[in-house]
Amino acid sequence: MCGIVGYVGYREATKVLIDGLSRLEYRGYDSAGVAVLNGSGLKVERAVGRLNNLAIKLKEHPLTGTLGIGHTRWATHGVPSERNAHPHSSQDGSVSLIHNGIIENYRELKAELQAKGVEFKSETDTECMAHLVADCYSGDLLKALHAALTRAHLRGGNALVVAHKNHPDQVVCVRRGSPLVIGIGKDENFVASDVTALLPYTRRVIFLGEGELASVSRSGAKVYDENLKEIPAHVETTDLSIEAAEKGGFEHFMLKEIHEQPTAIEATLRGRVADSHIDLRELNLDPARLKQVKRIQLIACGTSLYSAMVGKYLFEHFTRIPTETSSASEYRYAEPVIDKDCLVIAVSQSGETADTLEALRLAKAAGAQSISICNVMGSSIPRLCDATLYTRAGPEIGVASTKAYVTQLVGFIMLAAGLGRIVGATTEAAERTLVNGLKQLPEQVKKLLDSDIVGVKRCAKRYQSVFNFMYIGRHFNFPTALEGALKLKEISYIHAEGYAGGEMKHGPLALVEGTFPTIAIAPKGKTREKMISNIQEIKARKGVVVVVATEGDQEARELADYLIEIPECLEELSPVLAVVPLQLLAYYTATQLGRDVDKPRNLAKSVTVE
Ligand code: M6R
């Protein structure tokens, strides 16, 4: 949520900032702005809308200087407008700052400052920090930021980067609940909310820890703890490549990421499936502690929540331990029963989702063991957990999650079966069969991508002008229905609902008529026959049905208005294959409607506010 870039070096700062922001635009795209320091002070340029509007403005009114900060916004407080765009500046223009997060107690801070005569120019929560830093400044910028933080008693997750007109070789920053990474170059250094912004310049990075501050200058970066004591800076080399963060010839990141799924699954399996068993030694799980687990609770949001719903079925199937899935935003306030016999698994692509992070904190405070399934190395959620199974999907830039979802499913399958073996609920034979099935997945997804696109495109074209869709599935593929519906609504803006197949007759069947399409996910498995009955019930009411079925299913072929075939696989692996055509269906429907697939309206990739 919101992209941040800071630069100190020898290049023209605006170029570096715009380039960095273009890689972070997926984090927010309501407005953008930069502040650049030169001989005549801090100069700010901002524009509402996409980053390109700012780039056009900067072409007309170039800002020169080799130190700057830049921001791309996802509005929380105040409508998307130029005056609410970051950077925000102090009244005297000496301080400019950019912010990611929410200052929950900003009203008190604002009132305090207004009482002292400060005039606010925006409706944002952020602006009060610019005034506070200026107020605390007496020659040392880092101390001013620290003092402002102390005075503000900030509530909420926040990251701030600050520049001052008297400091031509320094930006300072703090990470408090929202990520920040420092890029180490030669005679130039960077700050960003995400490593992808830094890849064209450096792969040497320092991930700021929770509560840490940093002072970044042309010659280096110093890191400080929350008491402003300097601490060692751990420079790491990221193995992300610049290509991984670019479109690579695809029209959209989403399409590229859909096509990366075979390699993402392969990478997630690598080293974790041996000949006949699942090998999770890298997680350093403690078998004795795991054997004490009486309940498993899975927490996540959005698409990750749907993978966790599949996870519930997998854990109960492989371990026979009662498992519940909760939306993280609900979990916190639902008074969950948590104790030391409880294993909490937090699932997140970004590792920064505020709702998931807070739910995890609650579970840990109550004594639960914790594991995460996460895609972003070193992000906040894995840092909090006892162990993490990293999905190795690579950077996911499209706001609609695709490759992260299938790799989360693969992560769940391995974790559930691995735990099943530890607690003695999964047999060696079952594990061997599962491993065989897992190994085939990359090739099967590839085959699906190669074969089904034409049919899916045709189907998308036929139904693009429909206003409502129903997606149905059962057991392992009930969450597939939810995920398919979410994909369609978030990128095409067509209303879609996911439902458990068996629930149709309890109400939603009333919606069915001649033009109403239902996507029925009915692969081979113990619920297939029941799904076929559900499809028949819809057909009997003249509804249109698109069926996702296992190759060679003649009955499904006869019933379907459109048939999408997936390769034969174990039932518990079918959600991995069944979701792929649904991602494509959403993608082609959205592109045919001319939607901005990678940046759907009102959304942002990483939701770091509650
Ligand atoms: O980074 P996370 O997996 O924690 O994000 C959770 C959701 O915000 C995310 O899955 C969202 O629902 C996606 N846009 C769906 O495509």
Side-chain angles (χ1 to χ4, degrees), residues 301-304 347-351 353 399-401 408 486-487 490 607:
C301 298
T303 287
S304 298
V347 194
S348 175
Q349 186 285 129
S350 61
T353 298
V399 165
S401 186
Q408 285 168 357
L486 175 61
K487 285 289 90 84
E490 79 177 317
V607 186

Side-chain angles (χ1 to χ4, degrees), residues 97-268:
L97 63 75
I98 50 179
H99 169 223
N100 175 21
I102 289 187
I103 299 170
E104 287 175 0
N105 52 331
Y106 85 99
R107 278 195 189 79
E108 293 107 277
L109 295 171
K110 189 169 177 176
E112 224 175 84
L113 287 157
Q114 279 171 329
K116 285 188 171 178
V118 175
E119 276 177 35
F120 278 71
K121 296 197 184 79
S122 75
E123 296 137 21
T124 65
D125 52 338
T126 306
E127 189 184 341
C128 59
M129 285 311 290
H131 299 304
L132 262 185
V133 174
D135 205 38
C136 294
Y137 179 77
S138 55
D140 185 323
L141 186 55
L142 187 68
K143 279 190 180 156
L145 173 61
H146 186 254
L149 293 168
T150 313
R151 238 171 86 181
H153 295 294
L154 284 195
R155 290 202 306 270
N158 294 287
L160 292 157
V161 183
V162 190
H164 192 288
K165 75 170 176 36
N166 295 350
H167 295 263
D169 185 30
Q170 184 187 30
V171 292
V172 297
C173 56
V174 63
R175 172 192 174 139
R176 283 198 174 186
S178 292
L180 269 188
V181 56
I182 294 170
I184 302 296
K186 190 169 172 340
D187 294 330
E188 57 178 352
N189 292 299
F190 310 77
V191 188
S193 37
D194 183 328
V195 78
T196 49
L198 309 175
L199 293 174
Y201 307 100
T202 182
R203 290 173 58 212
R204 298 182 65 229
V205 293
I206 301 167
F207 291 101
L208 275 194
E210 188 47 32
E212 289 173 5
L213 297 95
S215 171
V216 181
S217 66
R218 189 173 163 153
S219 57
K222 289 183 176 171
V223 180
Y224 302 84
D225 69 10
E226 34 198 21
N227 301 315
L228 220 51
K229 186 172 164 285
E230 190 176 343
I231 53 175
H234 299 293
V235 182
E236 303 174 30
T237 302
T238 171
D239 55 8
L240 289 181
S241 67
I242 189 160
E243 294 75 31
E246 288 180 343
K247 284 190 204 154
F250 285 90
E251 201 178 333
H252 295 100
F253 279 112
M254 182 181 176
L255 189 60
K256 175 188 173 225
E257 288 158 6
I258 289 173
H259 282 270
E260 282 173 344
Q261 292 181 119
T263 42
I265 295 172
E266 208 170 355
T268 303

